[in-house]
Amino acid sequence: MNRAAATGSLALTLASALTLTACGGSGGAGVAADAEQTLTVWAMGTEGEKLGDVAEEYEKTHPHVTVKVTPIGWDVAHQKLVAAGAAGKLPDVVQMGGTYLGEFADMGVLEPVDTKKFKEKDFFPAAWQQGSYDGKTYGVPWYVDTRVLFYRTDLAEKAGIKKAPATMAELQSAAAAYQEKAGSKWGLSIQPRGLDTVQSFYPFLFSAGGAIIDDDGKAVVNSPSAVQALENYGSFFEKDLSDKGVQPGYDVTKDFNTGTVPMFFGGPWITGLLDDNYPDLKGKWAIAPVPADRSSVSMAGGSSLAVSADSDHKAAAEEFISSLTDAEGQADWFERTKDLPANTAAWKSGDLAGDPALQIWRKQMDTAESTPSQAKLTEITSKVDAAIESVTQGKSTAKAALDKAQSEIEGLVQ
């Protein structure tokens, strides 16, 4: 998910909310699930574009419910959600990105999940954690996202690399070999700066045993493990194995195609981009788990589905969410979007069970981690973004950068 910029002033938020008054739920209070009604839904990005088709299918088996899906761009999603939440006009069902949920749960605008109906054991642990805040669950996991290593197998052969790097030390050795023996300009593409640089850093951080915030809600971003991870991350730029001049919005697949970049960490949607845009690359690349430091741990991303606390249609909203997050609904959603299912039962049949490449994603999700939900998580991770940039640009040591981030984050955690 790509986050929107941080929230503007309260005055702007409330003014914006006035334009969204008509977008909330309709009908009387506590409308029964089987009553005739309209259910309003906001979903973001590609998911927002695809969900309308699923809603039409749902209406065929639930003729008393009209599902009105409004697609929202990720670039404006945060502003619209905050404005609607401040005005008490969130839609009945809303997609919540992992960095959003804590903020909106803290605002009191989300309905707690019925954990008797939606059970934690049915979902990947990290996905369930992203929907939880302050001891309660507010979002049902919809789809998950993680990062694995994409690498050029044909260039690996030229470089004398016989297998995918399995450790962080092997990753750096492979990056150097790609440059020295296969003619690649860079060895590994990782983000040097800008919004959400932290997402590129997470595999290094988590695999080293580090974290931004621990399970008790304490800031720990300058722990020895985190410092070690940032030193390792920064060393790729110090040794000119990675490009510190990469700009936000950079499309790594283009340079992956030419061989300028032979390795990068990417999400599941990258597979489709490579297959569609560079068919001649087929058979020349593969994916592998995140190379291990202490262990192989990647980031957990994705989205949850939440119900507005002000909705008059909570029962119908819960039924709609159930249809999207049970095993059958998750398998169908994967076929439509290639979003990875959050419900682990969906992985027991079809391509999800039999495709070796998909099993790499599954294995990575089993150990993936996420930063615990916080009301100011967007602001918190921006401090880490700044720390990473100061290291990749040679302006600070990892220890000094993370000490500074730690002092800033301590006042933001709740």
Side-chain angles (χ1 to χ4, degrees), residues 223-240:
S223 70
S225 295
V227 171
Q228 173 195 320
L230 187 51
E231 286 174 343
N232 183 27
Y233 193 88
S235 70
F236 282 86
F237 298 94
E238 183 181 356
K239 297 176 180 179
D240 287 329

Side-chain angles (χ1 to χ4, degrees), residues 37 164 196 214:
Q37 59 197 291
D196 285 336
D214 66 16

Side-chain angles (χ1 to χ4, degrees), residues 97-120:
T99 58
Y100 289 176
L101 187 131
E103 177 180 359
F104 290 91
D106 191 68
M107 288 171 64
V109 298
L110 302 181
E111 183 74 7
V113 168
D114 179 357
T115 53
K116 293 181 179 179
K117 181 176 182 63
F118 300 98
K119 301 184 186 304
E120 181 177 358

Side-chain angles (χ1 to χ4, degrees), residues 299-316:
M299 62 159 282
S303 287
S304 299
L305 294 169
V307 177
S308 167
D310 293 322
S311 172
D312 294 331
H313 307 276
K314 293 184 177 71

Side-chain angles (χ1 to χ4, degrees), residues 209-355:
I212 297 174
I213 300 166
D214 66 16
D215 291 339
D216 296 324
K218 180 183 177 182
V220 291
V221 76
N222 66 341
S223 70
S225 295
V227 171
Q228 173 195 320
L230 187 51
E231 286 174 343
N232 183 27
Y233 193 88
S235 70
F236 282 86
F237 298 94
E238 183 181 356
K239 297 176 180 179
D240 287 329
L241 296 170
S242 299
D243 183 4
K244 68 180 181 181
V246 168
Q247 297 298 315
Y250 167 67
D251 180 4
V252 70
T253 64
K254 294 180 179 179
D255 285 342
F256 189 66
N257 176 52
T258 64
T260 301
V261 167
M263 295 191 296
F264 67 95
F265 292 102
W269 68 90
I270 296 291
T271 296
L273 291 178
L274 293 175
D275 289 343
D276 293 344
N277 296 334
Y278 307 107
D280 291 343
L281 266 187
K282 188 174 182 179
K284 299 178 182 179
W285 62 273
I287 61 173
V290 168
D293 192 329
R294 293 186 182 179
S295 56
S296 171
V297 185
S298 192
M299 62 159 282
S303 287
S304 299
L305 294 169
V307 177
S308 167
D310 293 322
S311 172
D312 294 331
H313 307 276
K314 293 184 177 71
E318 185 179 78
E319 287 198 359
F320 182 60
I321 290 175
S322 180
S323 74
L324 295 173
T325 58
D326 64 18
E328 182 179 352
Q330 292 269 279
D332 175 70
W333 189 243
F334 171 76
E335 290 300 322
R336 294 173 184 270
T337 65
K338 301 308 177 185
D339 284 342
L340 301 180
N343 190 317
T344 56
W347 292 82
K348 295 179 180 180
S349 62
D351 288 344
L352 287 162
D355 187 322

